[in-house]
Amino acid sequence: MTSPRTAVAPALPSLEGRQGWGVAATGLAVLCLVLTGINRNVFFGLTPGLALALVLLPLWAPQLRSSRWVTWTTVLAVVSVVWGAWLTIWHADSRGVSTAGTLEASFVVLALACGIGAALWARGRTSDAVVGVAFGVGLVLGINPGSETFAENPWRFGFSLPVTVLVLAIVSRFRRRWLDVVAALALAGVSALNGGRSSSAILLMVALLVVWQSWGRPASSRLAALRTLVLFGLLALGTYFSVQAAILEGALGESAQMRTELQLSTSGTLITGGRPEIGATLALMAEAPAGFGGGSVPSMADLLVAKSGMAALGYDPNNGYVENYMFGSGFELHSVIGDLWAWCGIPGLVLAVVLLAFLVARTAVLTTGRVASGLVLFLGVKSLWNLLFAPLESAVTVLILAVALMAPVLGAARRADG
C-alpha cells in the first residue's frame, strides 16, 4: 500500500521546476527591459533589447491582446514596417535606395511593438516600479559619455532622462503623492539650472497634476475625463508661458535666455523657432502625402521643399543642418509623427495618431481616477512632447515604457506565471 508521503513525492519536482522557471522568466523579462532601455544600435537599428524580445516572442505575445490600444498599436507597427519597405521600392526610380536605411527604419518601428509587448509581460511578472527601475537602469547604461553633446552639457544630453525615470520609478514604489511632487520639483530645478527648458516645464506640469489628484474624489465618467483634458490643456498653456517668461528674465541662465530670445525673434513663437523642422514636415506632407519609405534617399527636390517650409517660419536653412542631419542619409524630421509618416507613409501616420490618442486618453483617465503616479505622468507628457518634437529613434524607449505602464491590463495579464 502506498503511503501518503510516497503519493505526493512525484509532484514535488514538478512544482519546484515550475517555481524555478518562474524566477528565470522574471529574470529574462527584467533583462529585456534593461537592454531595451540601453537602446544600443549593434546592426543597422537592431538592438540587443529587440533581439532578446524577438527570441522571447512566444512568452510575451499573449500580452498584446490585453488591451485594444496595444493590439492596434502592434498591428499598425507591423503594417507600417511592410508598407515602409514597399514605399522605398516604389520610389526607387526617382530617389536613391539605402538598404541600411530600410533595415534601420524597420527595426526601430518593430522595436516599438516588441518592446511594448515585452514590457507588458514584465509588468505582469513584477510591478510597475520594478519595470520603471529596470528601464531606468538601462537608460543610465545607455549614456554615451563620448558624444559631443554630452561634453557640452552632461545633464541635458546624458543624465536628465535616465535619472528622471529612475528617481520617479523608485519614488512610485512608496505611493506617496508628496514624494512624487518633491522628486518632480527637485528634478525640474536641476534641469532648469542646466538649461533644460522643455524638461523643467514637463516636470513642473507633472508636479501640478500630482497635486491636483489630491483634491476631489476618483471619477470614471467620460465627462470627468473631458474636464481633466481641459485642465491638462490649461496647465500646458500656463506652464509654457510661465516658463517662457522665467527664461526671458534669466531664471534659467544666460545661455537659455539667449536661445529663447533668438528663437522668438526668428518665428514669433518658441515652439516653431526651436523646432523649425515642423515647417519642413508640413511642406513635405503637402508635396508627397503618401510618404517616402525608410530606405529612400532624399532628392534635391525634396531638400528644396523642406528648406522652403523651414524658411517660411523665419529659419535660415542654409547652414548645413538640413543637408547633413535631416537629409544626410535619409529622412529625419525630428518628430515621431514626422518620422513615422516619412518612413512608413499613411500607416505610420495612423500609428502616430493612435499613439497620440492613447497617451491623451489614458493620461486623462488615470488622472481622473486619481491613480497616476509621477512616473506615469512624466512618461505620458514626455511622450506627447516627443511625438511632436523628438526623433523616433531616440524617443522609442520612453514611448515603449509609457504605453506599457499606461495601458489597461486585464487580470489575466497580471498573473505571476506569465
Side-chain angles (χ1 to χ4, degrees):
M1 183 175 179
T2 305
S3 67
R5 178 173 296 183
T6 304
V8 298
L12 292 177
S14 176
L15 179 60
E16 291 173 356
R18 183 177 179 82
Q19 290 174 340
W21 160 244
V23 173
T26 301
L28 285 172
V30 172
L31 176 61
C32 192
L33 290 173
V34 174
L35 293 178
T36 302
I38 293 176
N39 196 29
R40 188 64 53 86
N41 185 349
V42 294
F43 178 77
F44 298 118
L46 179 65
T47 65
L50 174 58
L52 182 57
L54 289 172
V55 172
L56 300 176
L57 177 63
L59 299 177
W60 56 257
Q63 305 298 326
L64 300 178
R65 299 193 303 270
S66 64
S67 163
R68 284 179 294 178
W69 288 108
V70 173
T71 301
W72 276 109
T73 297
T74 305
V75 171
L76 285 169
V78 174
V79 172
S80 294
V81 169
V82 176
W83 197 266
W86 178 82
L87 273 177
T88 300
I89 297 172
W90 176 263
H91 286 295
D93 293 338
S94 57
R95 294 173 179 83
V97 173
S98 168
T99 302
T102 302
L103 288 173
E104 186 169 357
S106 300
F107 281 140
V108 171
V109 177
L110 193 61
L112 176 63
C114 293
I116 291 171
L120 279 171
W121 178 54
R123 185 183 176 193
R125 303 196 66 86
T126 58
S127 67
D128 292 2
V130 171
V131 171
V133 168
F135 235 96
V137 169
L139 290 171
V140 171
L141 295 175
I143 295 174
N144 181 14
S147 66
E148 293 182 6
T149 53
F150 182 89
E152 176 188 340
N153 191 321
W155 177 260
R156 281 185 61 200
F157 303 111
F159 294 107
S160 178
L161 177 62
V163 171
T164 297
V165 171
L166 197 54
V167 170
L168 292 179
I170 293 172
V171 168
S172 70
R173 172 67 178 83
F174 301 98
R175 300 186 180 183
R176 295 290 185 270
R177 286 187 181 136
W178 69 269
L179 281 176
D180 281 343
V181 173
V182 170
L185 290 178
L187 291 165
V190 176
S191 292
L193 291 174
N194 286 275
R197 297 174 298 176
S198 62
S199 297
S200 56
I202 289 171
L203 286 163
L204 180 58
M205 274 196 64
V206 168
L208 292 173
L209 287 171
V210 172
V211 170
W212 182 80
Q213 288 184 105
S214 301
W215 297 329
R217 297 179 179 178
S220 58
S221 67
R222 292 184 178 180
L223 181 60
L226 181 60
R227 287 198 299 265
T228 300
L229 282 180
V230 174
L231 170 70
F232 185 83
L234 293 175
L235 276 177
L237 286 174
T239 303
Y240 169 79
F241 287 114
S242 297
V243 172
Q244 177 178 290
I247 294 171
L248 293 175
E249 290 295 327
L252 272 66
E254 185 178 352
S255 176
Q257 182 182 8
M258 292 177 62
R259 293 202 318 271
T260 302
E261 290 175 345
L262 178 62
Q263 290 163 358
L264 287 173
S265 64
T266 297
S267 64
T269 68
L270 190 58
I271 297 296
T272 54
R275 290 292 183 267
E277 298 90 350
I278 296 172
T281 302
L282 295 177
L284 288 169
M285 282 183 169
E287 185 71 19
F292 302 98
S296 294
V297 178
S299 65
M300 181 57 66
D302 298 328
L303 194 65
L304 293 175
V305 169
K307 283 188 173 185
S308 67
M310 299 174 79
L313 297 179
Y315 177 82
D316 180 11
N318 300 310
N319 56 11
Y321 171 73
V322 178
E323 291 88 348
N324 297 327
Y325 174 74
M326 293 181 64
F327 302 105
S329 57
F331 290 85
E332 177 48 73
L333 299 178
H334 213 282
S335 74
V336 172
I337 293 175
D339 288 346
L340 282 174
W341 165 76
W343 298 354
C344 306
I346 301 303
L349 185 59
V350 174
L351 172 59
V353 171
V354 168
L355 289 169
L356 180 66
F358 168 83
L359 292 168
V360 171
R362 291 302 296 168
T363 299
V365 168
L366 293 172
T367 307
T368 304
R370 271 66 178 177
V371 294
S373 66
L375 172 64
V376 165
L377 289 171
F378 170 76
L379 294 171
V381 178
K382 178 69 173 178
S383 294
L384 285 171
W385 174 268
N386 287 345
L387 280 170
L388 299 172
F389 307 119
L392 175 59
E393 192 168 3
S394 62
V396 68
T397 50
V398 175
L399 196 53
I400 288 170
L401 187 57
V403 174
L405 290 186
M406 298 178 76
V409 180
L410 301 180
R414 300 287 290 180
R415 294 180 303 178
D417 62 0

